[in-house]
Amino acid sequence: MAIERTLSIIKPDATRRNLTGRVNTMLEAAGLRIVAQKRLQLTQSQAEAFYGVHRERPFFGGLVAFMTSGPVVAQVLEGENAVAKNREVMGATDPKKAAPGTIRAELAEDIEANTVHGSDAADTAAQEITFFFAGIEITG
């Protein structure tokens, strides 16, 4: 199996409720290593740039407003098939449809305040990681 890296963001709803440690415990228990991490407050322009792929979607404005409503924790996860593993641990976008034991089933408030973001593919992960981290900030 391939060792990969992927981006994870712990969203404002989770940082507001002090769930960073619980999320990280679930990620690490699934075999993912946190090899870079930072807490930051996204500006509107940063959130718009990061979620630019959704610019034409009706939820874009609400997503940007939500992601700038409080601090987030951006992190790089590493492990075997990290992209797929992270998505499995996160659960479905809608917490009502997420499998029991997943981050979203256990911790999310609703479909918008769903606790975490994760890259959806290896190429997306590479782009998203460089959005938040310089290579020197990522340890092995």
Side-chain angles (χ1 to χ4, degrees):
M1 296 202 175
I3 298 296
E4 294 178 328
R5 288 182 172 165
T6 190
L7 184 81
S8 170
I9 300 174
I10 301 175
K11 294 181 177 182
D13 62 297
T15 62
R16 175 178 40 80
R17 294 180 291 137
N18 294 319
L19 296 176
T20 301
R22 286 183 62 190
V23 169
N24 287 341
T25 296
M26 294 173 83
L27 294 169
E28 291 177 332
L32 295 165
R33 289 181 10 160
I34 300 166
V35 296
Q37 184 181 70
K38 63 173 77 170
R39 184 179 181 99
L40 62 141
Q41 176 78 44
L42 290 173
T43 65
Q44 181 169 338
S45 62
Q46 289 169 331
E48 287 174 349
F50 184 76
Y51 287 105
V53 66
H54 300 301
R55 189 171 303 280
E56 302 304 319
R57 309 282 295 268
F59 60 81
F60 179 73
L63 176 60
V64 168
F66 171 64
M67 291 301 291
T68 59
S69 68
V72 300
V73 176
Q75 47 196 17
V76 180
L77 307 177
E78 183 178 82
E80 290 185 10
N81 297 312
V83 173
K85 176 58 73 176
N86 184 43
R87 296 191 68 74
E88 177 185 319
V89 175
M90 287 191 316
T93 302
D94 183 347
K96 292 176 185 168
K97 297 177 181 174
T102 62
I103 292 169
R104 289 176 172 152
E106 301 299 320
L107 304 176
E109 295 178 315
D110 57 46
I111 195 166
E112 181 183 85
N114 63 7
T115 306
V116 286
H117 163 91
S119 303
D120 62 1
D123 59 334
T124 308
Q127 294 169 3
E128 290 182 346
I129 289 168
T130 60
F131 186 91
F132 286 101
F133 296 94
I136 196 169
E137 295 177 295
I138 302 170
T139 62

